[in-house]
Amino acid sequence: MHEASIALSVLEIATENCRKAGYARIESIRLRVGRASAVMTDALLFAFDAVKIDTIAAGATVIIDEIPIGGLCKECGKDFISEEAYVLCCPECGSTSFKINTGRELEIVDMEVF
Ligand SMILES: [Zn+2]
């Protein structure tokens, strides 16, 4: 399961940041997850609840901001945002020549520590 290893690395990064900053407890972690990152947010939350047990993040809540897919069409030059998980062609002109600019994010935005 792909989400389990992501949950684990999120936990590791968060734990390291928290310790480095001299805090002992993680209260919440905010993640930015792009719709094109192929991460199932429900599965990620579920996996995080399992890996956080007995860690300094045991009481932590994970908040996920989903980022829609955005791109730039090379054919008509339009910037577009899609609500779908996949973009197969430009929503404006139907061209398959486009560049995805957002939606692949998978990062920690911020966290609350005590
Ligand atoms: Zn287009």
Side-chain angles (χ1 to χ4, degrees):
M1 204 176 116
H2 170 66
E3 281 76 11
S5 58
I6 296 169
L8 207 55
S9 49
V10 165
L11 179 68
E12 278 168 10
I13 295 166
T15 302
E16 205 189 310
N17 287 346
C18 179
R19 291 229 168 93
K20 261 190 205 156
Y23 295 94
R25 194 159 58 88
I26 301 171
E27 194 69 17
S28 70
I29 303 171
R30 182 180 288 270
L31 299 178
R32 190 179 281 149
V33 178
R35 291 235 172 90
S37 64
V39 173
M40 299 188 46
T41 52
D42 287 352
L44 180 56
L45 290 173
F46 185 78
F48 190 81
D49 278 344
V51 296
K52 74 180 185 183
I53 297 168
D54 289 334
T55 71
I56 60 170
T61 359
V62 171
I63 304 143
I64 295 183
D65 291 336
E66 280 191 77
I67 311 296
I69 299 177
L72 174 69
C73 178
K74 290 179 182 164
E75 201 70 40
C76 68
K78 282 228 166 79
D79 283 314
F80 59 81
I81 297 280
S82 172
E83 290 305 311
E84 311 294 323
Y86 300 97
V87 176
L88 301 173
C89 62
C90 168
E92 296 291 329
C93 72
S95 163
T96 52
S97 176
F98 58 82
K99 195 166 133 299
I100 297 295
N101 294 323
T102 63
R104 293 212 176 98
E105 297 83 350
L106 179 56
E107 59 201 14
I108 296 176
V109 187
D110 59 40
M111 37 191 273
E112 264 187 280
V113 290
F114 287 93

